[in-house]
Amino acid sequence: MSTEEDLLTIRHAVRAATVRAGFGLIDQTRIVTAASELARNAYIHGGGGNLTIEYLGRKGGTGLRLTISDAGPGIPDVEAALADGFTTGAGLGHGLGGTRRLMHDFSVHSEAGKGTTVTATRWTDQ
C-alpha cells in the first residue's frame, strides 16, 4: 500500500476474504475495521507497507490472519502504543489497542529503523 486508494482496495479485499471465510456481518465489520486501522498506520507512520491475508483452519472453525508490515521507523515503545489514549498525531488514540480488541490473536513486532509487523487473527468459532 502506497496511496490513499490502496487503503480502499485493502478494505474491499479484506471484506471479500471475510465473506469467503464464512464470517457473519458483525465479525466481518470487526475484521475490516482492524485491517483498515492497521493499513492506515502502515501508510501514515511506516510510509506504506504490505498486507498478507491467510485463511486458517482448525477443528470447528475457520480463521483469517492479517499480516501488515512496513519498513518505517518502528514503534519505540510497543506497550505504550497498545495503551488506550496513546497517539502520535491528531488521532483519538484507539488505534493499536482498539484493533487488538477486535481480533482474537494479536502481535506486534517492531524494530527501530527496520519497521513494524502486526499479525492479527480472528476465528469463526470463538
Side-chain angles (χ1 to χ4, degrees), residues 14 18 23 27-36 38 54 63-67 96-107 118-123 126:
V14 171
T18 63
F23 286 95
D27 280 340
Q28 290 175 28
T29 302
R30 287 179 176 129
I31 296 166
V32 171
T33 300
S36 181
L38 294 173
E54 297 174 83
L64 198 62
R65 177 184 295 146
L66 309 175
T67 304
L96 284 178
T99 302
R100 177 173 57 179
R101 285 189 297 277
L102 293 171
M103 304 298 278
H104 292 125
D105 304 313
F106 188 87
S107 68
V118 178
T119 304
T121 305
R122 188 151 184 97
W123 296 94
Q126 286 189 332

Side-chain angles (χ1 to χ4, degrees), residues 10-63:
I10 285 170
R11 288 180 62 86
H12 289 300
V14 171
R15 171 75 67 193
T18 63
V19 171
R20 179 175 170 215
F23 286 95
L25 185 58
I26 292 171
D27 280 340
Q28 290 175 28
T29 302
R30 287 179 176 129
I31 296 166
V32 171
T33 300
S36 181
E37 180 65 29
L38 294 173
R40 182 163 294 287
N41 281 350
Y43 173 70
I44 291 172
H45 302 292
N50 297 302
L51 166 68
T52 302
I53 302 171
E54 297 174 83
Y55 297 94
L56 308 173
R58 67 181 184 192
K59 187 176 181 175
T62 302

